[in-house]
Amino acid sequence: MNDYNAPSNLLNDKVILITGAGDGIGAQAAKTYAAFGATCILLGRTVAKLEAVYDDIVAAKGAEPAIVPLDIKGATPSHYQQMTQTIIDQFGRLDGVLHNASILGHLSAFKDIDAQEWQDVMQINLNGMVYMTQALLPALLKSDSASVIFTTSSVGRKGRAFWGTYAVSKFATEGVMQTLADEYQNKSIRFNCINPGATRTNMRAQAFPAEPPETLKTPEDIMPTYLYLMGNDSADVNGESLDCQPK
Ligand SMILES: NC(=O)c1ccc[n+]([C@@H]2O[C@H](COP(=O)([O-])OP(=O)(O)OC[C@H]3O[C@@H](n4cnc5c(N)ncnc54)[C@H](OP(=O)(O)O)[C@@H]3O)[C@@H](O)[C@H]2O)c1
């Protein structure tokens, strides 16, 4: 689907929440969704980065976004419930979520995985995403056609030495997606995963510091698949895990 050609009004009138919207793929996705008509809710932990994305969207004449400063590491289910109430009060519904925020942690031998780091990676990459999705469901079910996109990785489908913590968090992400897709298959909501593939961001540089960045796709290059899964052209796609850069 990375050759998908989105119509310019694809996301008109849609309200979409993007996590990790201040940097990397999430920042590009927010700007792209806004350019195709969406009102974006920008969630992230670094306010200055969220404000920069906000400014870019407004400068490009996109709908004024909302900013939700939130560190997923410390957030509890009640934070997500309050956020959902605010979304319902302000917008009446939610049409899409891109669960994008994640951390890599340190790559290490399985026997050396630090217990605290395991907890932190699972809290940000998995638990927060689960609690947020639970809380957002009432707002999503008010939409005529809601799309929830989870971000996976190739190491979330086939394990790889030294990637233990991050890889397990992404395997679990695939499991959360499949469970929800099955549970809500007859409702106006769909759940899918997206695997960006190697993409030029801070996280990729952290994992592969010696790699020349110019050899990698940019976040902008991979946006067609992000648009396809968020817009109504994928209304019948549920329970799939799509690759932005298929081999
Ligand atoms: N880049 C790749 O090659 C690649 C490949 C496969 C999968 N992925 C997946 O794609 C997604 C985006 O990755 P990326 O490469 O764009 O990474 P990135 O550049 O590191 O961006 C990650 C974003 O998540 C936010 N974030 C991290 N911890 C958070 C927390 N505790 N609370 C709130 N926000 C938090 C970051 O906020 P700050 O900017 O404030 O730190 C940042 O905006 C991730 O799910 C990643 O696993 C990436």
Side-chain angles (χ1 to χ4, degrees):
M1 269 307 148
N2 217 40
D3 57 357
Y4 175 64
N5 207 347
S8 59
N9 62 352
L10 181 78
L11 302 176
N12 276 8
D13 300 323
K14 288 199 181 278
V15 180
I16 297 170
L17 172 74
I18 301 106
T19 75
D23 211 335
I25 295 167
Q28 183 61 52
K31 290 188 248 184
T32 303
Y33 289 159
F36 282 79
T39 299
C40 291
I41 302 170
L42 311 172
L43 186 151
R45 65 180 168 184
T46 308
V47 174
K49 290 185 180 183
L50 298 174
E51 287 175 345
V53 174
Y54 175 105
D55 288 346
D56 285 348
I57 290 173
V58 170
K61 310 250 180 296
E64 186 179 7
I67 288 183
V68 180
L70 188 84
D71 187 338
I72 296 170
K73 186 171 162 186
T76 63
S78 75
H79 288 111
Y80 298 122
Q81 281 150 14
Q82 285 167 31
M83 177 179 82
T84 302
Q85 194 52 54
T86 306
I87 290 170
I88 291 173
D89 291 346
Q90 196 168 340
F91 300 107
R93 67 181 194 287
L94 186 63
D95 302 296
V97 182
L98 173 62
H99 285 292
N100 163 83
S102 279
I103 59 167
L104 181 66
H106 292 93
L107 305 185
S108 74
F110 197 86
K111 68 178 176 52
D112 297 328
I113 291 172
D114 177 74
Q116 185 57 52
E117 185 165 273
W118 175 274
Q119 299 280 0
D120 292 347
V121 171
M122 293 305 159
Q123 184 62 21
I124 294 165
N125 296 10
L126 177 62
N127 301 346
M129 186 185 74
V130 167
Y131 306 144
M132 196 185 307
T133 306
Q134 285 180 313
L136 288 172
L137 277 168
L140 288 160
L141 289 166
K142 290 179 185 292
S143 169
D144 293 340
S145 179
S147 175
V148 180
I149 305 175
F150 296 98
T151 308
T152 187
S153 165
S154 39
V155 296
R157 297 166 178 164
K158 186 172 191 313
R160 188 186 300 163
F162 309 115
W163 284 68
T165 316
Y166 176 82
V168 171
S169 77
K170 295 298 184 182
F171 267 93
T173 297
E174 297 264 1
V176 168
M177 179 278 287
Q178 290 179 19
T179 304
L180 285 163
D182 196 40
E183 210 165 300
Y184 285 87
Q185 58 180 309
N186 297 317
K187 301 274 195 251
S188 57
I189 182 168
R190 60 197 189 278
F191 300 88
N192 295 285
C193 278
I194 199 161
N195 173 19
T199 308
R200 198 186 305 173
T201 66
N202 293 338
M203 184 186 287
R204 179 75 190 183
Q206 185 190 340
F208 297 95
E211 184 177 63
E214 60 279 8
T215 60
L216 299 168
K217 296 278 190 205
T218 64
E220 198 171 1
D221 293 332
I222 61 171
M223 283 301 119
T225 311
Y226 282 76
L227 283 165
Y228 171 70
L229 273 185
M230 195 52 87
N232 288 353
D233 285 336
S234 62
D236 294 333
V237 179
N238 185 39
E240 302 287 324
S241 190
L242 299 190
D243 287 305
C244 294
Q245 304 182 56
K247 294 271 183 309

